[in-house]
Amino acid sequence: MVRIIPMASSIRPSLSSFRFPAPASSTSPFTTAFSSQNSCRRLSLLHLGSAVPQYLSFGLKASKLLRREGNSMAVSAAGNMAQASTATTKENALEWVKKDKRRMLHVVYRVGDLDRTIKFYTECLGMKLLRKRDIPEERYTNAFLGYGPEDSHFVIELTYNYGVDKYDIGTGFGHFGIAVEDVTKTVDLIKAKGGKVTREPGPVKGGSTVIAFIEDPDGYKFELLERGSTPEPLCQVMLRVGDLERAINFYEKAYGMELLRTRDNPEYKYTIAILGYGPEDKNAVMELTYNYGITEYDKGNAYAQIAIGTDDVYKTAEAIRLSGGKITREPGPLPGISTKIAACLDPDGWKTVFVDNIDFLKELE
């Protein structure tokens, strides 16, 4: 390595001012080339106009170049590491989602007359009133109805806001599904109770399952599906989406659901996808419907959200972010009851709330 000897700018260098190190016993290519050109370099020193020899100038330039290259390489390496770290973080988060213990807990929507709706659901649809919760300081009341305990069944959470007797269901919400052993018998009972039947019993379009459609007093549609005995009679929530592939990808990655099946009906210009946390004959599922050529829907203000149980609302929120979802309520405990939740929107704007599993069971107690 060449040693640079500091000199005052007013002194011109002489040959004797420079001391070159003797070649090492193990000579490098740089040293050999340098030694072979000593005489030429010494002559050129006589014509220097500055105190820095040319070969030293070359060394400084090389040093700067190496530093620039080193910085560039360091920046590039840091960028690659950051990308790798992000990829690993995303991969870890999405892998965790698959292992998380998730279950559809509630579907939440608003009604204009709570007592009227409870009467219809219990008398016409055979549900049980599981519990009620009045929050006067917030001016609303909840009623929970279903076909079994909340800790093991998917149930309905009705919300009545004081003084509000009507809501707009919109065009995006589709229906709720209820599995019954005899659709015709159930429809006859509903008619006898004064219920509204909008589609008489018969095979589904493009299939063989016997179905019927009814409406509750607020205009929410229920699809009755003829099915054998099932542990989860309240079995389905149908929502319309503008891009089915995008929705499936999001529900799989962010929500950890499994795509159970799809069915395309070109004759009627729609495609459905069934997703959930287990077989649809034993678990509640989401039915996402894409109508050919329609990318946006009016969501109204009646349907609210589904609630899903999770072991960790914080990790859940991170996975939703990494999957392109929008967090509308940061993960954390609810004031007053300390139940930890996180809320988000899917790519079509449908809301989902994730609830801590342990906190949910404590709340039921």
Side-chain angles (χ1 to χ4, degrees), residues 8-158:
S9 60
S10 59
I11 302 176
R12 293 181 64 86
S14 65
L15 291 176
S16 61
S17 301
F18 299 93
R19 298 290 185 266
F20 303 106
S25 56
S26 178
T27 309
S28 69
F30 176 81
T31 307
T32 304
F34 179 80
S35 300
S36 66
Q37 297 178 16
N38 267 351
S39 58
C40 293
R41 291 186 183 277
R42 286 192 177 109
L43 288 173
S44 67
L45 291 175
L46 296 173
H47 304 288
L48 286 175
S50 70
V52 183
Q54 284 184 348
Y55 74 87
L56 295 182
S57 176
F58 168 78
L60 291 173
K61 290 178 181 177
S63 175
K64 291 179 181 177
L65 179 62
L66 289 172
R67 281 200 300 272
R68 284 199 299 270
E69 290 293 329
N71 290 339
S72 176
M73 290 172 67
V75 169
S76 177
N80 291 338
M81 289 175 65
Q83 289 179 356
S85 176
T86 301
T88 301
T89 300
K90 184 173 183 179
E91 182 180 346
N92 291 344
L94 298 182
E95 280 300 315
W96 175 84
V97 167
K98 295 177 183 178
K99 299 174 183 176
D100 190 22
K101 294 177 182 176
R102 296 189 174 183
R103 180 176 71 85
M104 290 172 61
L105 306 176
H106 297 161
V107 59
V108 186
Y109 52 100
R110 304 171 183 93
V111 297
D113 185 326
L114 193 59
D115 291 335
R116 178 186 64 183
T117 304
I118 291 172
K119 180 179 174 66
F120 181 83
Y121 288 5
T122 53
E123 294 184 1
C124 294
L125 300 179
M127 295 185 191
K128 296 177 181 178
L129 176 61
L130 303 171
R131 63 185 170 110
K132 289 177 72 174
R133 177 176 64 193
D134 187 39
I135 314 293
E137 61 272 20
E138 299 291 337
R139 297 181 57 79
Y140 74 88
T141 305
N142 292 133
F144 299 82
L145 298 100
Y147 295 98
E150 290 178 66
D151 60 359
S152 58
H153 288 72
F154 183 54
V155 307
I156 288 171
E157 179 181 337
L158 301 176

Side-chain angles (χ1 to χ4, degrees), residues 65-297:
L65 179 62
L66 289 172
R67 281 200 300 272
R68 284 199 299 270
E69 290 293 329
N71 290 339
S72 176
M73 290 172 67
V75 169
S76 177
N80 291 338
M81 289 175 65
Q83 289 179 356
S85 176
T86 301
T88 301
T89 300
K90 184 173 183 179
E91 182 180 346
N92 291 344
L94 298 182
E95 280 300 315
W96 175 84
V97 167
K98 295 177 183 178
K99 299 174 183 176
D100 190 22
K101 294 177 182 176
R102 296 189 174 183
R103 180 176 71 85
M104 290 172 61
L105 306 176
H106 297 161
V107 59
V108 186
Y109 52 100
R110 304 171 183 93
V111 297
D113 185 326
L114 193 59
D115 291 335
R116 178 186 64 183
T117 304
I118 291 172
K119 180 179 174 66
F120 181 83
Y121 288 5
T122 53
E123 294 184 1
C124 294
L125 300 179
M127 295 185 191
K128 296 177 181 178
L129 176 61
L130 303 171
R131 63 185 170 110
K132 289 177 72 174
R133 177 176 64 193
D134 187 39
I135 314 293
E137 61 272 20
E138 299 291 337
R139 297 181 57 79
Y140 74 88
T141 305
N142 292 133
F144 299 82
L145 298 100
Y147 295 98
E150 290 178 66
D151 60 359
S152 58
H153 288 72
F154 183 54
V155 307
I156 288 171
E157 179 181 337
L158 301 176
T159 298
Y160 168 70
N161 292 296
Y162 293 6
V164 183
D165 60 5
K166 192 174 182 180
Y167 293 93
D168 175 21
I169 293 178
T171 59
F173 169 78
H175 60 259
F176 305 114
I178 297 179
V180 298
E181 294 188 19
D182 190 324
V183 168
T184 301
K185 184 178 179 181
T186 304
V187 166
D188 289 342
L189 173 63
I190 291 169
K191 285 180 178 179
K193 295 286 185 179
K196 183 179 180 181
V197 177
T198 59
R199 199 257 200 204
E200 292 292 335
V204 65
K205 293 178 181 179
S208 59
T209 303
V210 177
I211 66 165
F213 275 93
I214 66 164
E215 278 187 13
D216 76 359
D218 289 274
Y220 290 101
K221 288 185 172 62
F222 284 80
E223 179 182 18
L224 305 178
L225 302 100
E226 193 158 279
R227 188 182 290 175
S229 180
T230 173
E232 194 70 279
L234 182 60
C235 59
Q236 191 182 95
V237 177
M238 192 277 259
L239 302 174
R240 298 182 177 94
V241 298
D243 185 327
L244 190 58
E245 289 302 319
R246 178 185 66 183
I248 290 171
N249 184 60
F250 182 81
Y251 277 72
E252 285 181 318
K253 291 184 177 179
Y255 292 178
M257 290 187 180
E258 177 187 355
L259 176 62
L260 302 173
R261 63 184 174 94
T262 60
R263 187 178 78 231
D264 185 35
N265 293 280
E267 181 182 355
Y268 300 103
K269 297 184 178 180
Y270 75 90
T271 307
I272 66 168
I274 305 295
L275 299 103
Y277 296 110
E280 61 181 303
D281 61 337
K282 297 179 180 178
N283 299 270
V285 299
M286 298 296 299
E287 177 183 330
L288 304 180
T289 299
Y290 168 70
N291 291 296
Y292 292 8
I294 302 178
T295 58
E296 292 184 3
Y297 293 93

